[in-house]
Amino acid sequence: MKEKVTNIILKKPEILVTLILIIYFFSIGIKNPEFIKVDTVIRILFNGAILTIVTMGMSAVIITKNIDVSVGSLLGLAATFGATYLNSTDHPSILIFLLITLGTGLLGGLLNGLGVAYGGVSSIIMTLGTMAMFRGILTLYTGGSWIDIVPEWYLNFSRAKFLGLYDPIWIMIISLIILWVFSVKIKWGRYMYAIGNSVEGARFIGIPVKRVVLSAFAISGFFSGVGALIYISQIGTIPTQAGIGMELNAIASAVIGGISLMGGTGNILGAALGALLLQTIKYSLLFFKVPAYWNNVISGFLLLLIVVMTSRIQIYLRQEKEREVEEAIQKEYMIRQKE
């Protein structure tokens, strides 16, 4: 029974992340009971919505055994273009605003995907290049100045509630459901896992590898745009540093949630839980007035720790599978011997 439970936890990292999240939350609550409140949970979900959404998009890329380090800069660029349009007219069109913000994210993702899938460029090199390019375009476009005025009616979007939850939380939940269904129930989503496990194997069975990889980067870019929509409303100003460091936190969150950097394993739910775990840690540090720079220290440490743990888990599972196969062969041999 114990071994069965252990294998379930090892094979479904989201269960382990959930347990860690619950234990951490209540451990902080023991230290300070004021932390254990419904309002605290809502605040964590609200503040973690952007990171969670970006992480879910990033996960699609990592599942295909690629990486996207441009998500932070792309979010900043999409937020800059979107906020600029909102300020350009007294009666902005919501449709045009959405097209500009989401379109910027989608086009940035497609650019990354074209370079990786069709240009044969390594994903880390390609997205490092576009990260610098997106940040450069942002700076040139704004002249190095902040966009410090966002219409009040759009700021109210983040303050509005539905069934007790802020609108950004609902966007996060809807995004999670859509991506989870896509990755688990839709054939194209399952193709991503096949490519992450073996590109050549996926190509051999007829999976359109290039198009699937392109779509994974497009998903990542699009959800950077979704994150930008919330960023504009939550923050209210768009600095030239908008989104800096988001890529590290998104990668850390995905890996903590069980998305293997080796590709082909993990799921979107685990990635979202990983982001919420990081946000819970961040909020608890703020709750106890710990200096903000510790957030990056902890994120980096957790990333290294989880990568090592994931590697060890994969080795363990591989050894267990080999042992099961060997036992099955020996059992079959003994049966034939008796015959």
Side-chain angles (χ1 to χ4, degrees):
M1 181 65 180
K2 182 180 178 181
E3 183 178 352
K4 184 178 180 180
V5 172
T6 301
N7 283 334
I8 290 175
I9 292 176
L10 291 176
K11 293 177 181 179
K12 294 186 177 296
E14 62 273 17
I15 296 177
L16 181 59
V17 177
T18 302
L19 291 174
I20 294 172
L21 183 56
I22 293 171
I23 292 170
Y24 183 85
F25 184 82
F26 284 100
S27 295
I28 298 299
I30 292 173
K31 181 71 175 176
N32 190 334
E34 288 294 313
F35 191 77
I36 305 180
K37 288 184 176 180
V38 174
D39 183 65
T40 299
V41 175
I42 292 175
R43 184 57 54 184
I44 289 171
L45 292 173
F46 177 79
N47 291 331
I50 298 173
L51 174 60
T52 304
I53 288 170
V54 173
T55 297
M56 291 188 293
M58 165 84 79
S59 298
V61 171
I62 299 178
I63 286 171
T64 64
K65 205 174 181 178
N66 287 293
I67 200 76
D68 184 355
V69 297
S70 70
V71 291
S73 294
L74 185 54
L75 181 148
L77 184 63
T80 297
F81 285 165
T84 300
Y85 170 73
L86 288 179
N87 288 328
S88 67
T89 175
D90 293 333
H91 302 286
S93 164
I94 285 293
L95 179 59
I96 294 176
F97 167 66
L98 292 175
L99 287 174
I100 289 173
T101 310
L102 297 178
T104 299
L106 180 60
L107 289 174
L110 286 171
L111 176 62
N112 286 328
L114 287 171
V116 174
Y118 292 90
V121 182
S122 166
S123 61
I124 184 66
I125 299 300
M126 182 68 196
T127 56
L128 274 172
T130 54
M131 176 180 72
M133 184 178 75
F134 296 151
R135 186 65 58 184
I137 294 173
L138 186 161
T139 305
L140 288 172
Y141 184 77
T142 61
S145 301
W146 289 26
I147 299 174
D148 53 7
I149 300 176
V150 174
E152 187 68 21
W153 64 267
Y154 191 69
L155 294 178
N156 290 332
F157 162 70
S158 283
R159 303 166 187 164
K161 284 186 176 182
F162 176 71
L163 297 178
L165 297 178
Y166 293 101
D167 287 350
I169 299 176
W170 284 113
I171 291 178
M172 178 184 70
I173 293 172
I174 292 169
S175 299
L176 174 58
I177 293 171
I178 291 173
L179 273 177
W180 183 83
V181 171
F182 173 76
S183 63
V184 175
K185 302 296 183 181
I186 306 300
K187 181 169 65 175
W188 199 264
R190 297 198 297 272
Y191 283 170
M192 294 181 182
Y193 285 94
I195 292 170
N197 282 311
S198 173
V199 174
E200 292 305 318
R203 189 174 286 116
F204 180 76
I205 62 176
I207 292 176
V209 173
K210 291 182 178 180
R211 281 187 288 157
V212 174
V213 171
L214 175 64
S215 66
F217 277 98
I219 290 171
S220 180
F222 178 81
F223 280 96
S224 291
V226 175
L229 293 176
I230 299 175
Y231 188 98
I232 296 169
S233 181
Q234 276 190 354
I235 308 302
T237 60
I238 316 299
T240 53
Q241 299 87 3
I244 286 180
M246 182 69 70
E247 56 283 333
L248 172 62
N249 288 322
I251 294 170
S253 298
V255 174
I256 289 169
I259 305 290
S260 173
L261 290 174
M262 299 303 293
T265 58
N267 62 61
I268 301 299
L269 175 58
L273 289 169
L276 292 177
L277 175 57
L278 278 189
Q279 185 59 42
T280 302
I281 294 171
K282 178 180 179 180
Y283 190 79
S284 67
L285 293 176
L286 293 173
F287 196 81
F288 289 109
K289 296 181 173 57
V290 177
Y293 57 78
W294 278 102
N295 292 325
N296 291 332
V297 174
I298 291 173
S299 298
F301 173 75
L302 284 174
L303 177 58
L304 291 173
L305 180 63
I306 297 299
V307 166
V308 172
M309 287 177 60
T310 302
S311 176
R312 299 306 302 173
I313 288 172
Q314 289 175 341
I315 292 173
Y316 170 80
L317 292 176
R318 192 181 306 117
Q319 290 174 341
E320 284 293 299
K321 188 173 182 179
E322 291 173 354
R323 183 176 61 81
E324 290 173 4
V325 171
E326 187 176 340
E327 288 178 353
I329 293 174
Q330 289 179 350
K331 187 176 181 179
E332 181 67 22
Y333 176 76
M334 294 297 292
I335 292 173
R336 292 186 179 183
Q337 284 291 93
K338 289 179 181 180
E339 293 175 352

